[in-house]
Amino acid sequence: MSLRIGDDAPNFTAQSTEGEINFHEWLGDSWGIIYSHPADFTPVCTTELGRTAQLKDEFARRDTKVIAVSVDELKSHHDWVKDINETQNCDVDFPIIADTDRNVAELYNMIHPNASTSVTVRSVYFIGPDKKIKAIITYPASTGRNFTEILRVVDSLQLTANYSVATPVDWEQGQDVIISPAVKQEDVEGKFPKGHRVIKPYLRYTPQPNK
Ligand code: BEZ
């Protein structure tokens, strides 16, 4: 059965470019992203892994660890990392799993047989410190992911985990957020001292509480 939001993130032990990893131990108390790549030495994947490395400080600021998966072998990953560093002007220092037995790809439903029986699609799983899946996005091999969106999702997940708010369409850090419909109007002033606007009883905005 497919993994869904709220499910436990499956644990596994795997070989990676940073040595053997037990996924849950490696995550520790951090947030995590596990994302799949169709194959080594492919152009779109090269740019995605490069961007991940370039965004190292952004992920660190969000206490979010990133781990990549592809079904190619370790030697190939190490050789490919040299190309990524050279062509994307970066230093890949996060683990890339060598999922040659497809254990991780199967656990995380990263192979979509009607797209390809041999390689993974571009899956992204966002995992909370409680090891639960918080969000999932999936693209085909032909569409490179948007890492601005990936960081934005992390920001939204972390904000909404701590406050009774939701983030509206196209929300970005610092913009007003929506007060959760579960918050009674009589409790709004106490919970959101920065103020609020009522557009409709179900559509209430407040400044981002943690800014
Ligand atoms: C790529 O990463 O460039 C790619 C991989 C598989 C299919 C198409 C593109």
Coordinates of all heavy atoms in Angstrom, one line a residue, residues 38-39 42-46 122 141-142, ligand 1:
P38 N 16.1 9.2 -10.7 CA 16.0 8.0 -11.6 C 17.3 7.3 -11.8 O 17.3 6.1 -11.8 CB 15.5 8.7 -12.9 CG 14.7 9.9 -12.4 CD 15.5 10.4 -11.2
A39 N 18.4 8.0 -12.0 CA 19.7 7.3 -12.3 C 20.9 8.3 -12.2 O 20.7 9.5 -12.4 CB 19.6 6.8 -13.8
T42 N 22.8 11.4 -15.1 CA 21.7 11.9 -15.9 C 21.6 13.5 -15.7 O 21.9 13.9 -14.6 CB 20.3 11.3 -15.6 OG1 20.1 11.3 -14.2 CG2 20.3 9.8 -16.1
P43 N 21.2 14.2 -16.7 CA 21.4 15.7 -16.6 C 20.5 16.3 -15.5 O 21.0 17.2 -14.7 CB 21.0 16.2 -18.0 CG 20.2 15.1 -18.6 CD 20.7 13.8 -18.0
V44 N 19.2 16.0 -15.5 CA 18.3 16.7 -14.5 C 18.7 16.3 -13.1 O 18.8 17.2 -12.2 CB 16.8 16.3 -14.8 CG1 15.9 17.0 -13.8 CG2 16.4 16.7 -16.2
C45 N 19.0 15.1 -12.8 CA 19.4 14.6 -11.5 C 20.7 15.4 -11.1 O 20.8 15.8 -9.9 CB 19.7 13.1 -11.5 SG 18.2 12.1 -11.8
T46 N 21.6 15.6 -12.0 CA 22.8 16.3 -11.7 C 22.6 17.7 -11.2 O 23.1 18.1 -10.2 CB 23.7 16.3 -13.0 OG1 24.0 15.0 -13.4 CG2 25.0 17.1 -12.7
R122 N 10.7 10.9 -9.4 CA 11.3 11.9 -8.5 C 10.3 12.1 -7.3 O 9.4 13.0 -7.3 CB 11.5 13.2 -9.3 CG 12.4 13.1 -10.4 CD 12.8 14.5 -11.0 NE 13.4 14.2 -12.3 CZ 14.7 13.9 -12.5 NH1 15.5 13.8 -11.4 NH2 15.2 13.7 -13.7
A141 N 10.3 11.6 -14.2 CA 11.8 11.8 -14.5 C 12.1 13.0 -15.3 O 13.1 13.7 -15.1 CB 12.3 10.5 -15.2
S142 N 11.1 13.4 -16.2 CA 11.4 14.5 -17.1 C 11.2 15.9 -16.5 O 11.5 16.9 -17.2 CB 10.5 14.4 -18.3 OG 9.2 14.2 -17.9
Ligands
BEZ1 C1 17.6 13.2 -15.9 O1 17.9 13.2 -14.7 O2 18.0 14.0 -16.7 C2 16.7 12.1 -16.4 C3 16.6 10.9 -15.9 C4 15.8 9.9 -16.4 C5 15.0 10.2 -17.5 C6 15.0 11.5 -18.0 C7 15.8 12.5 -17.5

